[in-house]
Each structure stands twice: as C-alpha cells, then as structure tokens.
Amino acid sequence: MTHLAEFSLRTTQQNQMIKISPEVQKAITASGVKEGMCVVLIPHTTAAVTVNENADPDVAYDMNLALSAISPDRREFRHGEGNSAAHTKTSLVGPSITLIVSGGRLLLGTWQGIWFCEYDGPRTRRVLVRVLGE
C-alpha cells in the first residue's frame, strides 16, 4: 500500500524551524499503513527537514546559530537572488528524511520530533509525505 499526502505551511522569517510531527502523523493515519516507512520531502531549494530534539526550543535556536556560522551571508556569493547561504544550509541539512512506521505511528525517540527548516522566508512552503507499507 502507498499513500501520498501534501500539506503547506507559511513561514514568517529566515532561519525558522517549525515542528511538523503532528502533520506527518496525520498523513500516516490517513494512509491506513500500520507497518512500513514514511518519507518526508521538502520540494524547495532553500528549505529542509530534519529530526532533532522536540522538547527544548533552544535546540532550534542553537541549530540555526550553528548553521549560520557555517554558512553566513557573504558578499562574494554570485547567485543573483542573494540567498546562497540558504541554499548551502538546505544542502547541509537535506531535503528529505525516511522514518519507520510501526503500529500506525511514527517510530521516534522520546525527545525526537520532525522539524521543517526555513532558510529563506517568509514563504509559503509545501511538504510531501509518502507512506509505504501494509
């Protein structure tokens, strides 16, 4: 069995992380899959997705601080839109994650959650969720 779901979200700024675990779980529930896998894809070049701590909001702040140190805006960048740092951060974090579904639920650790990472907001973004299994 396979199921494709899509949802959108509106970001308000650059370097923003938004918890999307509940929306991904809704897609899994709607699919009817009890045992399988779930792929979350962000179809944008300046936004990404990751799994990280879901309890302390300072983790999102610290992640953005670290990524901005690794890839700051630089006047030497040539990309005409002026968002090369956002492209670099997206490549570092990645456009997709694959997760296990068990008992119809995301199989995440106690403190883990799924985070949408915006590096070039504010924007309206799409999130694709493909659920595969039985």
Side-chain angles (χ1 to χ4, degrees), residues 15-43:
N15 301 319
Q16 179 180 14
M17 292 178 69
I18 300 170
K19 296 176 192 178
I20 60 169
S21 302
E23 291 85 354
V24 174
Q25 181 58 56
K26 285 179 191 172
I28 292 168
T29 301
S31 76
V33 169
K34 299 298 180 200
E35 302 296 326
M37 302 186 78
C38 169
V39 178
V40 180
L41 172 69
I42 310 303

Side-chain angles (χ1 to χ4, degrees), residues 38-59:
C38 169
V39 178
V40 180
L41 172 69
I42 310 303
H44 302 284
T45 60
T46 57
V49 64
T50 191
V51 173
N52 211 315
E53 183 175 323
N54 203 34
D56 183 351
D58 286 338
V59 171

Side-chain angles (χ1 to χ4, degrees), residues 15 46 67 71-74 77 82-90 119:
N15 301 319
T46 57
L67 286 168
S71 181
D73 285 325
R74 300 175 57 117
F77 284 144
N83 59 358
S84 289
H87 288 288
T88 303
K89 292 172 189 174
T90 297
Y119 299 118

